[in-house]
Amino acid sequence: MSADGASAPARFSLNQETIRQWSLPELVDGCVAAHVRAVGLWREPVRRFGVRETAKLLAGAGLRVSSLCRGGFFTAADRDGRASALDDNRRAVAEAAELGAEVLVLVSGGLPEGDRDLPGARGRIADVLGELAPWAGAHGVRLGIEPLHPMFASDRCVVSTLGQALDLAEGFPPEQVGVVADSYHLWWDDRLATDLHRAGRDGRLVSVQVADWVTPLPAGVLLGRGQLGDGSIDLRRFRELTDAAGYRGSVEVEIFSPTLWARDGSELLREVIDRYRQHVD
């Protein structure tokens, strides 16, 4: 890949899923060529390649890990389900520590099958965090609770607003638990600026991610994120609000799109960087 015209801005981070057609070595080579300084990783491809091998590959290339996704799914109503979730999240913490990830992103989980008790599900998240947060702190890993758009409340994440995420995070020291702000999930919320200020005041804004909102949404909605600038979100204003809250870390581009995954990865990275300059930076 030629880096001509594609040198990435200093705070730009590429989430692995944005160009999921790349293997980990291809991701590293592409990012080095484009002077990308940080990447967001996902546990499944990292574990397939090998956690230790991934850490060595990234260190050799001088790449930081802005986030590891994901932990979470804490809402099981039965004891065995909660124990299994806690065990998996402890493994995720260990993986994040070995990779030197700046944050382990938590997608908290939806309602168990047949369950309609939202407050109860959110309470179970707090219960599991009570055991996981000290464990993460002891391993030098910060947990980041990511609120997801309310359309995901039933099956993926009963935490739908930044305020709800902060309510959970504030039960723990900020060096253990913070929050993740993703434009795709939060752009619609009229309390966004207030809640970002609240997060920044206590040093709890640990990750910022961007993607655009395009309609109509596809069937299943999960893979409906838009390329930067193609949708309805004022992405620069979103980034400026996080800056105003005191955030100075990486801004990670995380787009799930089969249309983008069908393209040449090098060409796509050049476009993503260009769109980031136009609409985010």
Side-chain angles (χ1 to χ4, degrees):
M1 171 181 167
S2 170
D4 294 345
S7 184
R11 295 177 66 189
F12 175 92
S13 175
L14 178 69
N15 187 280
Q16 185 174 17
E17 282 292 285
T18 301
I19 312 182
R20 74 178 302 178
Q21 59 269 46
W22 269 351
S23 67
L24 262 164
E26 288 171 334
L27 175 73
V28 169
D29 288 346
C31 286
V32 168
H35 305 286
V36 173
R37 296 161 177 83
V39 292
L41 298 178
W42 282 68
R43 292 179 67 198
E44 292 82 357
V46 166
R47 293 174 81 175
R48 286 196 300 270
F49 189 77
V51 178
R52 181 172 299 176
E53 291 76 12
T54 300
K56 290 179 179 178
L57 183 66
L58 294 170
L63 282 168
R64 293 182 294 104
V65 181
S66 56
S67 74
L68 178 65
C69 196
R70 63 191 178 214
F73 290 86
F74 300 136
T75 53
D78 62 291
R79 179 178 298 178
D80 288 346
R82 290 196 295 274
S84 176
L86 183 58
D87 287 345
D88 183 62
N89 277 272
R90 284 175 171 156
R91 288 191 294 272
V93 165
E95 291 162 11
E98 185 159 4
L99 293 166
E102 295 171 13
V103 59
L104 173 64
V105 177
L106 303 181
V107 176
S108 299
L111 289 170
E113 186 174 357
D115 194 330
R116 294 178 174 83
D117 182 7
L118 273 172
R122 291 175 183 143
R124 291 192 292 275
I125 295 168
D127 291 342
V128 177
L129 283 173
E131 298 189 59
L132 184 64
W135 176 274
H139 286 75
V141 173
R142 295 186 82 185
L143 306 175
I145 302 171
E146 181 176 13
L148 268 57
H149 191 281
M151 66 183 173
F152 295 111
S154 65
D155 63 341
R156 290 186 180 273
C157 190
V158 297
V159 180
S160 301
T161 69
L162 197 58
Q164 290 169 354
L166 285 164
D167 288 344
L168 287 164
E170 287 170 353
F172 307 93
E175 63 270 18
Q176 293 180 3
V177 185
V179 295
V180 178
D182 186 322
S183 64
Y184 185 77
H185 295 301
L186 299 177
W187 71 279
W188 56 274
D189 191 347
D190 62 0
R191 288 192 53 84
L192 178 60
T194 299
D195 288 336
L196 282 171
H197 176 76
R198 175 183 165 194
R201 180 188 64 212
D202 297 329
R204 293 191 186 272
L205 187 54
V206 298
S207 178
V208 169
Q209 299 177 329
V210 289
D212 217 335
W213 182 280
V214 292
T215 48
L217 295 173
V221 305
L222 180 64
L223 305 184
R225 295 183 179 218
Q227 171 65 288
L228 308 177
D230 281 356
S232 303
I233 304 176
D234 186 339
L235 294 164
R236 179 166 288 108
R237 177 178 179 274
F238 182 85
R239 192 267 304 160
E240 289 172 345
L241 286 173
T242 67
D243 286 358
Y247 183 74
R248 298 294 181 267
S250 298
V251 179
E252 194 174 295
V253 179
E254 184 186 60
I255 305 172
F256 309 151
S257 169
T259 300
L260 299 188
W261 296 336
R263 293 176 51 187
D264 174 78
S266 298
E267 173 191 281
L268 177 57
L269 180 56
R270 287 192 290 269
E271 180 179 284
V272 168
I273 292 171
D274 183 57
R275 293 294 190 94
Y276 181 96
R277 289 188 184 280
Q278 291 180 53
H279 301 288
V280 181
D281 208 15

